[in-house]
Every structure is written in structure tokens, then in C-alpha cells.
Amino acid sequence: MYAIGGKTVTITLENFGNAAIVTANAAVSVQGTAVALSSAPVYDAFTQITTLTFLAPALAAGVQTISVKYVPTQRSASISITYVAIPTTAAIATISPVTGDSTGGLTVMAKLTNFRQTDATSGMTISVGGVSVTTANILSLQSSIASTLVTFKTPAYSTGGAAAVLIRGAGGASNAGTATFTYIDVSVAAITYNDPKQGPSEEATEVSVGIANLGQIITSTASLTVSATGLTGVVPTVARIQASSLILTSCVVSIPASLAYLQADATVT
């Protein structure tokens, strides 16, 4: 509970009241200050459980005591409730994943602590590299006093490199959380190496090829196509994937026999 109070508190008590319990004969106080019930007490004769609801008053941060009494029988009970100060300093934010391609659309989860509880995605403001995430692309929100989890889709970005993630909620600018997301510019995807650069024309040759900035992890040879430029009737194939990350993919290309020259271009299909 934040120290400003104002939140609804519901208490359930066993063997406390009876069918005669009403607002007038149920007394509630928080740290010695009487509070009014926000609705009539509810008594379940079968379970003998009484439910009381009230709005928490504003109090100093710390452990406070809620006291309840059923006046006709003088039955009483007390429980503790912890009040905490509203966070006003910068939140601590972590995100996962931290890298994605510049076309955007990647789902990212952010976890924030020391972040004021925010009850709806409409109360969240998120930007990546200065580009706002639309409300429709803030996918989910779970927020409590202890921590906040929010998922969102990254917007498209005009280039590659590090981009600042800024997340704001009910706490405003002073309570914002920041992180860094790295974009991979897929518009500059290119072959970075091929080895060997030549081979015998009378037999097939396997060539290791590196492709940078694809912006996705390649797990199947079917995801890559290879074409031969300058020759006709040549059908090189991707034999296997050696390793793949968002930044660099290594594969083996099989070049058929009787080739005198090959310039290979690899693209994601």
C-alpha cells in the first residue's frame, strides 16, 4: 500500500460477526484512526466468514495496524498492513531480448523495480530510440508495488546501433526506467567472407560463407537461397548451417562441378 492511501482494502474474518452485523455496529480503524466502511459488511452464515471493505487512509510509510471490532459482541481482531513511500527516483529496468532487426516488430519484455504501480497499458509510455511505441503495441502489463512487467513490440528504426529504451508509468518522468536495445540494420546485409574463393571445375566444391546483419537466427537451410551470377544452368545449394546469430550467419554452400566462376549472393527467403 502506498502511503497516500486511497486503495480499497478487503478483510475476511472467521467467527467474527453474525447475521446482525451492519455498517453501524462494525468498527474499523487503521493505526488508531477510524475509517468508514465503503460498503455494508457481508456475512456468510454457512462459512461464518465476515467480509469488510474500506478505503485505506493516508499514513506514513511503515507497518501499520488495522483493528476491527464487532460492537454487539465486542469481538475484535487486528492485522498488519505495510505502507511504502511512492517511488520518485529513476526506476531500474532490464529488457529481454536486447537485440533485434531494424524492421521492428520484435516482442520485448521489460522488468522494472522502484517503479510506481501502473494499472493499465494506457498509463504507460514507451519509446525506443526516440520512436514511440503505440498503445496497441504495448501487449501486456503486470504491475504491483514490488515490480512491473511490461511487454511491447519494437518500432521500426532507420538504422542500426544502440537505441535508448525509455519507459514511463504513473510515476512520471522522474520515475522512468531506461535500458538499451541494439538494432541490426538489415538493409546492409552482406556476405562478409567465402572460403575457398576458387575450386576445381571437375568436382563439387564446398564453400564456407559468412553473411552479416540478417537480423534473424537461421536454423534451416531452406531459409537461405544462393544464386550464381554470370553463369547459366548453375544451381548452388546451401548444404548446412554452421552457426547463426542475429548479427552473423555461417553456412556451407555446395557448388556443382564444371564451374569456372561463381559470384554468390545469399538472401533470406
Side-chain angles (χ1 to χ4, degrees):
M1 177 70 64
Y2 286 127
I4 59 171
K7 289 288 187 179
T8 297
V9 177
T10 300
I11 303 174
T12 56
L13 306 111
E14 293 184 10
N15 300 316
F16 176 77
N18 54 37
I21 191 168
V22 293
T23 301
N25 59 25
V28 180
S29 65
V30 182
Q31 206 62 23
T33 300
V35 296
L37 294 177
S38 53
S39 60
V42 176
Y43 175 73
D44 187 317
F46 180 75
T47 61
Q48 296 186 328
I49 290 177
T50 301
T51 302
L52 304 175
T53 304
F54 62 92
L55 290 179
L59 288 172
V63 178
Q64 311 292 1
T65 300
I66 300 174
S67 300
V68 295
K69 180 186 287 187
Y70 181 38
V71 177
T73 63
Q74 292 297 298
R75 286 178 181 167
S76 63
S78 62
I79 60 173
S80 296
I81 184 171
T82 301
Y83 277 73
V84 298
I86 292 175
T88 57
T89 56
I92 299 170
T94 57
I95 62 172
S96 179
V98 296
T99 306
D101 71 68
S102 55
T103 60
L106 179 68
T107 298
V108 173
M109 174 177 283
K111 180 178 181 180
L112 302 106
T113 54
N114 189 48
F115 187 79
R116 184 169 177 177
Q117 181 176 346
T118 303
D119 296 328
T121 56
S122 58
M124 300 291 293
T125 301
I126 304 174
S127 64
V128 184
V131 181
S132 295
V133 176
T134 64
T135 301
N137 281 329
I138 300 177
L139 306 178
S140 66
L141 175 66
Q142 300 175 40
S143 189
S144 67
I145 289 176
S147 64
T148 292
L149 294 176
V150 58
T151 58
F152 61 92
K153 286 188 176 182
T154 55
Y157 204 57
S158 60
T159 185
V165 179
L166 180 66
I167 305 173
R168 296 180 182 176
S174 66
N175 187 226
T178 58
T180 300
F181 183 83
T182 301
Y183 278 102
I184 298 169
D185 189 353
V186 295
S187 68
V188 293
I191 292 177
T192 57
Y193 67 84
N194 62 282
D195 182 51
K197 297 185 182 302
Q198 60 184 12
S201 59
E202 65 273 9
E203 62 184 46
T205 302
E206 287 195 340
V207 179
S208 293
V209 178
I211 313 160
N213 298 326
L214 287 179
Q216 58 182 288
I217 296 174
I218 304 299
T219 58
S220 169
T221 57
S223 297
L224 294 175
T225 60
V226 183
S227 60
T229 302
L231 294 176
T232 58
V234 174
V235 186
T237 58
V238 179
R240 57 188 177 275
I241 305 298
Q242 294 177 306
S244 185
S245 69
L246 297 176
I247 298 173
L248 180 65
T249 292
S250 299
C251 65
V252 174
V253 174
S254 178
I255 302 172
S258 300
L259 280 179
Y261 171 78
L262 174 67
Q263 178 179 324
D265 296 314
T267 57
V268 175
T269 57

